[in-house]
Amino acid sequence: MAATETNLVTVTFDGRELQVAPGTPLVVAAAEVGIEIPVFCYEPRLGPPIGACRMCLVEVEIGGRAMPKLQAACTMTTQDGMVVRTAATSAPAKEGQDAVLEFLLLNHPLDCPVCDKGGECPLQDLTFRYGPGTSRMTIPKRTYEKPLPISPSVLIDRERCILCYRCTRFSSDVAEDGELVARERGARSVIATFEERPYVGAFSGNVTELCPVGALLPTPYRFKARPWEIVNVPTVCTGCAVGCNTWVTLREGKAERVISRNHPEVDEGWLCDRGRFARHEPLVERLAEPLIRDSSGLHPATWEEATRSTAQRLRHVSALKGAGAVAIVTGGNLTNEEAYGWAAIARSVGARTASGPVAAAGEWERLDPYAARIDDLDRSDLIVVIGDADVADRAGVVDLRIRKARRAGAHLAIVSAGGTILERDAGSFVAAPAGSAAAIVAALAGAGAAPAGVDLADLGARLAVASHPVLVVTDPIAIALIEQLAHTLRLHERGGVLPMPRGANERGARLAGLSGGGDAVLAGLESGEIRAVVLVGLDPTAEWPEAERWHMALAQADHVVTVSAFVNSAVSWSHIVLPQTVDHEREGTVTNLEGRIQRLRPVTKGPSGRSDLVAIAAIAEVLGVPVAPTPAKVYATLAADLTVPLSWSQLNGRAPLPSRGREARAPKKVAAPKAPPAPAAGRFVLVAPRPLFAGPAVERTAALAHQRAPWVMLNHADADALGVAEHDVISVTHAGGTHTGPLRISRRLVAGAVRINWAGAPATGDATVVRS
Amino acid sequence: MQGPTFAAPRADAILLDFEGERRALAQYEAAGGWAQAKAATGRAFDEIVQELKDSGLRGRGGAGFPTGLKVSFIGKGDRFLVINADESEPGTFKDRELILRNPHALLEGCVILCNAIGAKATYIFIRGEYATEAEVLNAAIEESYAKGYLGKPLSGTSNAVDIYVHRGAGAYICGEETALLSALNGFRGQPTAKPPFPAVSGAWKSPTLLNNVETVATVPYILAMGAQTYQALRTEQTTGTRLMSLSGNVQRPGNYELPVTATYRDLIDGCGGGVAGGRTMKAFIPGGSSAPILMPDMLDTQIAVETTAAAGSMAGSGAVIVIDTRTCMVQFALRVADFYRHESCGKCTPCREGTRWMVELLKRVEAGEATMDEIDLLVELCDRIEGKCLCPLGDACAMPVRSYLKHFRAEFEAHIDAPACPAGPASPFGALYPSLRRTLPVVPA
C-alpha cells in the first residue's frame, strides 16, 4: 500500500484536501470529497472527455499560480498541489456556470410539462440546482421540424437538443457504427443520420439514455408515462446469456420501458435494442389458460386438471416403457429454480433432458477452469474470435466490450467466413471456409490440420506470446474441442475462454440438472424409445436445427406437453399446453455466460396469473417429489446442492461473481472434426447464424421491424459472376425455406458462401442463389 | 485574366525582397535557394532549435509563440510537420502572397524542419478557397521532386521528405490547430481539448509540429543570415520582419513586409498612402478582425507582438484594417460578429449559443429596436463568452465587439435614442444591412 500512497497527489477542492491518483479528471476527484461539479457532456464510458458543454468550468491554481482562464473540470486532470475552486466558492467559476446554463437554455423550448424526460432530466435537474430563475433572452428561439424519427425506435426533437455530442460519440466511439453524426455548424448544428437514412444498429437505443435532455426519446415510450407515476423494478434481461442488468418501468400494471441498470462487470450500462425494445406483452397473443386435447381438439382446462394430467401421463409412460421414455426439453430460458423443479420431475420419472440443441456443444462446465469473465476483455491484450456468427448476435453487448478492449490496445483477431460486423475493425482477419470453426479450433490445438488455404501461423504466434488472451468461439461446436484448445494454450493460467451459450440460462439449467442435448432426444423420439416429451419454453421446430425432423418426431410421440408463452407450431402437436410467463413476469435467478447468478424480479403478472414455479411444484407434488413453490426456497436448496456461496439476499443490486478454482485436468482427446463438404457446382454454402433480432418477442415488436429486414450477402466475385449488384433483390433457397432480400456485397465473405440473416429454424448445408 | 499586382519591395524586406514572382525553382536557386536545406543536413536537432531560439522568431499565425521553443517540445515517435495555410482571419492575405510569389522558401523551410525533427512528411493544409495557391504549391512541389529536393534524402542525411498539399473545405475553425488536425485526420473539423497537444498527438495521432506558412518560410532566411543578424532587427520581444496585410479604407491596400520596429503609422500612411479619399481615420484594427480595435492615437505603436499588446490589442496575424469616419460601428460590429457566428463550429456551448445571441442583439440595436439594457447585456455577453470556450473562436468574437462597445458606446446608444442607424446608407456597410428595418413590424406611435 505504501507504494500506492506515494503515487498519490494532493489536490484541494473548495478548501477540502484530497489524496488522489494523478491524472484523475477533476469532476471525478471532486466527487470524492463530496463536491458536485455539474456536467452534461462528460461521460467516461464514451471515451476521453471532450470539454464541449463547458458546464464544469472551475478556477484552477497550480503551484500557487492561477491559470489565466477557467478550466473544464472534465478535461483538466489532477496534479500535485492543485487548488480547485468550484462555483460554490469562486465567483468567476459561478459566472462561467451561470453563463453556460443561460446559453444552454436560450434555445431549449422549456416544454418540460409535455416532455417525456421531464422529471428525470439532467438539464432540468441542473437548472433547478444551479440555474438562473429567469431568462434574458428576447429573441425568437431556434425552431426545427419535430419530432423526426432517426429510426423506427428512436425519435429526435432537435429543439430540445443541447448539442452535448454524447449520442454521436456513442455512435462513432462505442458502437463504432458511425451512423449518427452532427451536421451543419455553429448554432444551426443538428444531430442527424447520414443522408437521412435510419439509424440501424444493434445498440441504437442507448442514445436515448445518454441524452441529457428530451431530444432523443424511445418511440415506444413517447407520451406513455411521467416519472412520478412509474416504478422502476430492478431485474435482469433474459434475451441472451449476457444477463444485462435492467430497470423495467412499471406504470399502471404494464411494463412500459426497459432501461439499463449499469453493472460495470457485465454490461457497463449498455443494452442491445432487442433487450430494450422487444415487447413481451402483446397480451392478446399470449396463451392465458391451460389447454388439454381431446378428440375434438385443444380445450381450456383448469390448472389443476392440466398439471395433474401432465404428471399422470409422465408417470404412466415412465412406468410402462421404463426409464428414458420421457424427455424434458428446454431452450435454456428457464430460471434456475424452474430448471431445478423440472430436473426433479425428470429424475422421478427417469426422463432424459436437454437444455440446448446439441449435446456436445452445451457442455459449458468443461470450460470452467478456463472460463473468462466478461471484464477479462478489459484486461486482455489479444482477443480471438472464431466462428461465422457475429459476437453481437450471440452475446449482444459483449461486442461493445470487445471494441472497447481493441481501442484500448488489445489485438482483435477474427477467424471466420467473413461478413460479420466486428471484423471491419479487427487487427487481423483470417478468412476460413464457412462452418469450419471446429476445424480451426482443432488445428490451433494441434489436433488436426487447418482447412485448406487457412494460414493460422500468425494467430498461433500471437496466442503463444499474449499475456492475457481471451478466446471467443461464436459457432456451436463441441465444447471438448474448445477445452482442448484452452488446455493447450494454458488459458487457466492466463486470459480465458468466454462461453457463448445460446439460451439465456443454458448454464444454469445444466447445473440444475437439465443436461443433455436436443439431438439425442430427437433420435430417441424417432426410434420410438421416447414416447412422451415436455417442451418447456421452446419450439424446436422453429428454433432448433432439423425442424422438419422435429415436426415428424413430435407427430408420432404419444404425449407432447408444451409450456409456452405464445402459440407456436409445436402447440399443434401438443396434448397438453401450459401457459408460461416471460421475462419480467418471472421471479428467480439466472446464471449468465460467465456463471454469474443474478436475480430476476417480477414486474407484472402473466395473463394466466400463475407463476411457472407454482405449476411445476403442482406437477412434482403429484409425482411425490418435493419442490417448493417459491423461488427463494428452491434457491436455498439449489445453492446448498451446488455449493453456491451466495445466499438469496446477497443477489440484490449488482451480483458478484465469486472466483472459481482454475485447476485444469488434461482433457480427453477429441477426434479432429471433418471438414464441411464443398457445395455442388452452381450452389453456395449457407451461412445463416441465428441473428440477434429473432424470436417470438422480436417478431411481435413493431419498433424492431427494421432490424429484422432481410438481406443477403455475397462475395463480390460471386456477385459479379451472377451478374447481380448491391441492393438487387436476391432469393436464397435452402433446406429451411427461401430467404429474399436486398444484396449486400462483401469483400471478406469467402467465395462460394452466401450469408443471410435468417431468423427461422437454423439451417445449414447448401443453397441456391437467384435474382428474384 | 490579369494577374495580381504586388507592392514594390522595401529595402529591409527579407521574405519578399524582390520584384514580381519567384515561382520557378531556377529563380529561387539563383537567389541562393535550397543552400540552407543542404547546409543544415549535418546539424543536430538541438542546434537548429538553438538557432531558432536565438533568432527570436515568433509564430506568424496569430498567437506569436516562440518558434524555437515550439520545435523543442516535439514528442518522440513518428513525427510529422504540418503547415497551417488555412489563412482565414478576415483581413489576412499574407500567406497567400507568400505562396504565390515565393513558394520554394516555404518548401525549403519544411525540409529544414523535417530533417531537424526527423519527420518524413509535411502536410500543407491550405484553405479550400486558395485554389490557385494550391496549384502554385503543387507545381513547386513537383519541380522540387524532379530536382531531388523532395522524395529522397539530401546529401548528409538519410531522411527523405515528402510534402502533400491538403485543401480545406471552407471552415474558419480549421485554422485552429486542433481543428485543422481533426480535419486532416479525416474527422469533423472541430477543435479538441488540449492536452494532448499536437506536439504529442497530432497528424495520425503522432507527434506533430504545426506552424504557419510565414514562420516556416522565414527559417531558411534565418539560417542564411544567422540568428544573430536576424534578431538584431528587433523590439524587446519580437524580431525580424513581418508581412502585414493592409486593407479597409486605405489608399493602397496590399501586403507590405516591415521590420517589427515599424509603427502602424509607417504601414498605413507610409506604405498605404493614408486613408482613402483623404477622409479621416476613425479607428484601425491591428491584427485581424478578432483583435480589439485601436483608436488613431495609437498609430505610433510598433507592430511587434508585445507593443501591440501593451496598446490594448493584439498583433495577431498582421492584418491591419483601416476604418474611416463614415463607418457605423454597430454595423461594423454586426458584420464582425456575424462572421464568427457563421464560423462557430458548434462544439462548445458559449461560442455556439453566445455568438448567435450576440448577432441577434446587434441586429436589434442596428434596427433601433433594442433597449439600453440590451447594450449592457451585450457587454455581459462578451464576459460570458470570453475565456469560457474550448478554443479561441468565441474570444475572437467577444474581444472585438467588447472593444467597439468600449470606444464607441455613444454610437450604440445613439441607435437606441434615434429610430434607426444614424449613419445609414453613408456607412460602407450600409449596403449590407439595408433591409433590417423594413423586415420589422411597424408599430404605430
Side-chain angles (χ1 to χ4, degrees):
Chain A
M1 273 316 284
T4 324
E5 274 163 23
T6 53
N7 288 334
L8 298 182
V9 295
T10 306
V11 182
T12 311
F13 287 93
D14 294 342
R16 298 184 209 177
E17 211 167 85
L18 169 72
Q19 303 282 313
V20 67
T24 311
L26 296 187
V27 285
V28 175
E32 286 185 27
V33 282
I35 292 168
E36 181 193 51
I37 299 177
V39 295
F40 288 111
C41 71
Y42 180 71
E43 169 52 85
R45 292 180 297 150
L46 298 176
I50 59 166
C53 77
R54 317 304 287 173
M55 187 63 194
C56 60
L57 291 173
V58 292
E59 235 188 329
V60 178
E61 205 180 289
I62 305 174
R65 288 230 318 261
M67 297 188 76
K69 288 179 181 179
L70 296 175
Q71 298 295 317
C74 61
T75 51
M76 177 62 70
T77 56
T78 51
Q79 296 173 33
D80 200 27
M82 204 178 236
V83 177
V84 181
R85 277 182 283 273
T86 73
T89 58
S90 150
K94 177 69 184 148
E95 198 217 353
Q97 198 177 78
D98 287 350
V100 171
L101 257 185
E102 182 175 35
F103 286 140
L104 286 176
L105 294 172
L106 279 186
N107 288 298
H108 190 78
L110 298 175
D111 58 348
C112 311
V114 296
C115 175
D116 285 298
K117 201 86 171 188
E120 48 182 28
C121 169
L123 179 62
Q124 199 179 34
D125 294 346
L126 293 181
T127 303
F128 186 73
R129 284 213 285 281
Y130 301 102
T134 55
S135 173
R136 296 181 290 178
M137 172 83 160
T138 50
I139 58 174
K141 289 190 189 238
R142 207 165 52 206
T143 56
Y144 293 108
E145 192 187 334
K146 63 183 232 178
L148 295 169
I150 63 163
S151 79
S153 39
V154 180
L155 288 167
I156 186 165
D157 180 328
R158 288 175 174 157
E159 293 177 0
R160 290 178 188 154
C161 174
I162 59 166
L163 290 164
C164 68
Y165 299 101
R166 280 182 174 210
C167 52
T168 56
R169 285 164 71 203
F170 174 81
S171 175
S172 64
D173 302 346
V174 178
E176 299 181 340
D177 53 32
E179 296 250 353
L180 211 54
V181 293
R183 224 175 39 199
E184 309 301 329
R185 68 186 184 199
R188 299 303 297 186
S189 305
V190 289
I191 302 303
T193 51
F194 194 65
E195 289 184 341
E196 308 292 347
R197 287 183 292 204
Y199 182 1
V200 183
F203 307 100
S204 66
N206 288 301
V207 299
T208 63
E209 273 191 73
L210 286 166
C211 184
V213 296
L216 288 165
L217 291 170
T219 311
Y221 189 61
R222 192 159 180 265
F223 298 144
K224 276 285 182 344
R226 306 317 315 261
W228 51 89
E229 53 177 20
I230 60 172
V231 176
N232 286 330
V233 181
T235 182
V236 172
C237 176
T238 53
C240 74
V242 175
C244 295
N245 289 207
T246 57
W247 296 106
V248 175
T249 297
L250 173 68
R251 178 186 177 274
E252 298 278 325
K254 281 175 77 181
E256 296 285 10
R257 169 179 75 166
V258 178
I259 53 177
S260 172
R261 179 169 61 90
N262 188 345
H263 191 321
E265 293 172 18
V266 178
D267 52 54
E268 290 196 305
W270 309 129
L271 291 180
C272 70
D273 283 6
R274 174 174 163 192
R276 184 183 300 277
F277 294 119
R279 257 165 32 121
H280 300 276
E281 297 175 319
L283 295 175
V284 285
E285 297 178 33
R286 288 282 295 278
L287 285 164
E289 51 190 346
L291 306 169
I292 297 180
R293 189 178 295 276
D294 65 11
S295 54
S296 64
L298 284 167
H299 294 289
T302 64
W303 273 101
E304 152 77 337
E305 285 164 357
T307 50
R308 174 167 297 277
S309 177
T310 301
Q312 283 170 342
R313 288 174 196 227
L314 298 185
R315 187 164 57 194
H316 177 72
V317 171
S318 158
L320 228 63
K321 306 279 179 186
V326 173
I328 295 178
V329 180
T330 91
N333 286 313
L334 307 184
T335 64
N336 289 326
E337 294 70 25
E338 289 158 15
Y340 176 87
W342 282 112
I345 292 168
R347 278 192 301 275
S348 86
V349 295
R352 305 188 206 194
T353 57
S355 57
V358 182
E363 300 167 326
W364 300 108
E365 57 284 352
R366 277 175 175 268
L367 295 180
D368 280 352
Y370 316 96
R373 301 157 54 106
I374 291 174
D375 63 3
D376 271 314
L377 289 166
D378 299 353
R379 297 181 283 275
S380 69
D381 56 345
L382 173 65
I383 300 168
V384 179
V385 179
I386 299 170
D388 300 338
D390 233 312
V391 173
D393 288 337
R394 290 303 296 276
V397 299
V398 170
D399 171 272
L400 300 180
R401 200 100 178 196
I402 290 176
R403 290 172 191 275
K404 178 184 158 196
R406 195 209 69 231
R407 287 191 301 273
H411 181 89
L412 172 59
I414 294 187
V415 187
S416 96
T420 63
I421 53 170
L422 196 58
E423 76 204 25
R424 282 191 300 223
D425 307 298
S428 55
F429 171 74
V430 178
S436 63
I440 303 283
V441 169
L444 283 170
V454 179
D455 182 4
L456 297 171
D458 174 66
L459 181 57
R462 286 180 188 280
L463 276 167
V465 298
S467 64
H468 203 85
V470 174
L471 178 66
V472 181
V473 181
T474 58
D475 286 351
I477 68 168
I479 303 299
L481 272 174
I482 306 177
E483 183 192 11
Q484 206 170 344
L485 176 57
H487 192 76
T488 310
L489 296 171
R490 308 197 68 72
L491 294 187
H492 51 295
E493 290 166 359
R494 51 174 190 145
V497 188
L498 207 55
M500 289 275 129
R502 233 194 65 162
N505 193 31
E506 207 176 307
R507 294 198 58 171
R510 284 182 66 84
L511 274 176
L514 295 176
S515 55
D519 47 355
V521 173
L522 180 57
L525 278 167
E526 284 176 336
S527 69
E529 287 167 52
I530 298 175
R531 304 305 312 157
V533 61
V534 185
L535 303 170
V536 190
L538 167 79
D539 176 4
T541 65
E543 295 167 44
W544 279 4
E546 315 283 3
E548 278 304 307
R549 282 176 63 198
W550 272 103
H551 267 295
M552 302 308 291
L554 292 177
Q556 51 179 309
D558 292 343
H559 302 281
V560 178
V561 179
T562 290
V563 185
S564 173
F566 297 100
V567 175
N568 59 34
S569 54
V571 166
S572 52
W573 305 117
S574 300
H575 303 93
I576 299 179
V577 178
L578 298 174
Q580 195 189 20
T581 57
V582 297
D583 279 29
H584 32 262
E585 295 161 2
R586 287 190 187 159
E587 182 163 21
T589 63
V590 285
T591 306
N592 83 343
L593 59 88
E594 308 164 282
R596 187 187 303 269
I597 298 174
Q598 305 191 101
R599 187 152 156 207
L600 285 178
R601 281 184 179 72
V603 182
T604 53
K605 270 201 164 71
S608 74
R610 181 166 301 219
S611 96
D612 295 1
L613 195 56
V614 169
I616 294 165
I619 296 169
E621 196 188 350
V622 178
L623 295 170
V625 189
V627 173
T630 56
K633 284 193 179 136
V634 176
Y635 179 79
T637 321
L638 192 62
D641 286 0
L642 300 175
T643 61
V644 174
L646 301 168
S647 71
W648 180 255
S649 57
Q650 280 173 307
L651 298 174
N652 284 311
R654 292 167 177 165
L657 178 58
S659 59
R660 289 179 294 252
R662 286 172 80 88
E663 287 96 52
R665 290 170 291 124
K668 64 168 193 244
K669 287 277 175 228
V670 189
K674 279 181 292 183
R683 295 178 70 88
F684 287 79
V685 184
L686 186 70
V687 182
R690 191 170 170 83
L692 177 67
F693 296 98
V698 172
E699 284 162 19
R700 288 168 171 82
T701 305
L704 293 179
H706 66 293
Q707 304 270 24
R708 298 192 293 127
W711 48 259
V712 173
M713 186 187 285
L714 285 174
N715 175 282
H716 62 103
D718 290 335
D720 287 349
L722 286 172
V724 291
E726 187 102 2
H727 308 307
D728 282 0
V729 177
I730 305 292
S731 280
V732 178
T733 303
H734 54 84
T738 297
H739 179 90
T740 303
L743 179 65
R744 296 178 178 185
I745 290 179
S746 166
R747 294 211 162 252
R748 279 181 301 257
L749 177 64
V750 292
V754 57
R755 181 184 277 274
I756 55 176
N757 62 335
W758 172 251
T764 51
D766 60 358
T768 55
V769 177
V770 293
R771 190 210 300 259
S772 58
Chain B
M1 205 179 88
Q2 202 188 348
T5 55
F6 303 121
R10 290 169 50 101
D12 44 14
I14 293 175
L15 278 168
L16 298 175
D17 64 337
F18 51 86
E19 292 275 359
E21 300 162 350
R22 199 180 267 168
R23 284 189 200 171
L25 180 53
Q27 287 174 302
Y28 184 64
E29 286 174 324
W34 284 102
Q36 299 313 314
K38 289 177 195 164
T41 53
R43 301 179 72 180
F45 171 74
D46 292 339
E47 263 184 84
I48 300 280
V49 167
Q50 197 53 49
E51 184 96 32
L52 290 173
K53 281 185 178 167
D54 291 346
S55 76
L57 179 65
R58 299 179 70 154
R60 301 294 197 229
F65 194 81
T67 307
L69 197 58
K70 192 178 206 176
V71 178
S72 75
F73 286 159
I74 185 105
K76 290 199 165 39
D78 291 333
R79 295 163 169 172
F80 291 99
L81 174 66
V82 175
I83 304 299
N84 187 344
D86 192 69
E87 184 176 56
S88 309
E89 177 75 7
T92 316
F93 40 86
K94 64 182 178 72
D95 293 341
R96 175 184 202 178
E97 181 160 341
L98 187 52
I99 289 168
L100 286 177
R101 291 182 61 195
N102 200 2
H104 293 282
L106 172 62
L107 302 187
E108 188 180 0
C110 291
V111 171
I112 292 170
L113 288 177
C114 278
N115 284 337
I117 63 173
K120 296 203 178 328
T122 298
Y123 298 93
I124 302 177
F125 189 102
I126 189 164
R127 71 178 284 191
E129 293 87 340
Y130 282 2
T132 311
E133 291 74 5
E135 276 172 33
V136 168
L137 264 182
N138 275 322
I141 289 170
E142 215 166 288
E143 261 193 297
S144 305
Y145 269 106
K147 202 68 191 289
Y149 293 124
L150 298 177
K152 55 186 178 187
L154 297 176
S155 116
T157 174
S158 59
N159 192 51
V161 178
D162 285 312
I163 300 186
Y164 305 91
V165 174
H166 180 98
R167 289 181 63 190
Y172 169 81
I173 190 60
C174 288
E176 196 278 337
E177 57 180 4
T178 59
L180 183 154
L181 289 167
S182 291
L184 185 66
N185 286 340
F187 299 104
R188 192 170 158 86
Q190 285 189 328
T192 54
K194 294 185 276 192
F197 289 90
V200 175
S201 175
W204 318 127
K205 297 199 170 175
S206 295
T208 298
L209 176 63
L210 208 162
N211 278 110
N212 171 259
V213 171
E214 187 187 344
T215 318
V216 175
T218 307
V219 170
Y221 294 96
I222 291 175
L223 297 192
M225 68 175 70
Q228 291 311 318
T229 317
Y230 184 82
Q231 65 87 42
L233 189 58
R234 69 178 303 155
T235 61
E236 196 188 332
Q237 292 169 26
T238 314
T239 60
T241 63
R242 289 202 66 160
L243 292 181
M244 304 294 288
S245 304
L246 180 62
S247 65
N249 307 132
V250 66
Q251 202 79 349
R252 288 192 297 275
N255 285 311
Y256 299 93
E257 184 176 359
L258 293 182
V260 292
T261 50
T263 63
Y264 288 100
R265 190 184 298 282
D266 292 339
L267 175 69
I268 295 168
D269 291 349
C271 303
V275 180
R279 287 183 293 269
T280 314
M281 183 188 292
K282 186 169 188 173
F284 70 100
I285 294 174
S289 63
S290 60
I293 203 161
L294 291 178
M295 302 302 279
D297 60 356
M298 288 292 174
L299 272 173
D300 292 315
T301 307
Q302 287 178 316
I303 62 174
V305 174
E306 74 281 8
T307 49
T308 312
S313 186
M314 59 182 203
S317 55
V320 176
I321 302 169
V322 177
I323 299 158
D324 73 26
T325 47
R326 296 169 307 163
T327 310
C328 166
M329 288 315 290
V330 176
Q331 287 182 352
F332 191 82
L334 184 48
R335 183 69 203 93
V336 170
D338 200 35
F339 172 81
Y340 292 103
R341 176 202 61 77
H342 182 66
E343 295 294 345
S344 171
C345 81
K347 185 166 182 176
C348 81
T349 310
C351 173
R352 179 183 69 233
E353 305 294 341
T355 53
R356 174 176 181 265
W357 195 5
M358 190 179 279
V359 166
E360 295 302 320
L361 283 175
L362 283 166
K363 277 187 191 164
R364 284 169 58 84
V365 176
E366 161 62 14
E369 255 210 329
T371 61
M372 232 27 128
D373 293 348
E374 288 178 80
I375 295 182
D376 294 329
L377 182 58
L378 264 174
V379 180
E380 203 169 318
L381 212 47
C382 294
D383 293 338
R384 292 195 151 194
I385 296 172
E386 215 178 313
K388 296 176 177 63
C389 302
L390 179 60
C391 87
L393 198 152
D395 294 357
C397 184
M399 288 189 308
V401 171
R402 182 202 299 281
S403 74
Y404 311 153
L405 282 157
K406 177 179 156 203
H407 292 294
F408 300 101
R409 188 173 173 111
E411 233 175 278
F412 284 77
E413 289 176 355
H415 279 71
I416 286 162
D417 296 334
C421 176
S427 168
F429 292 92
L432 281 177
Y433 302 103
S435 56
L436 265 182
R437 272 194 70 73
R438 261 181 276 136
T439 62
L440 294 167
V442 180
V443 182

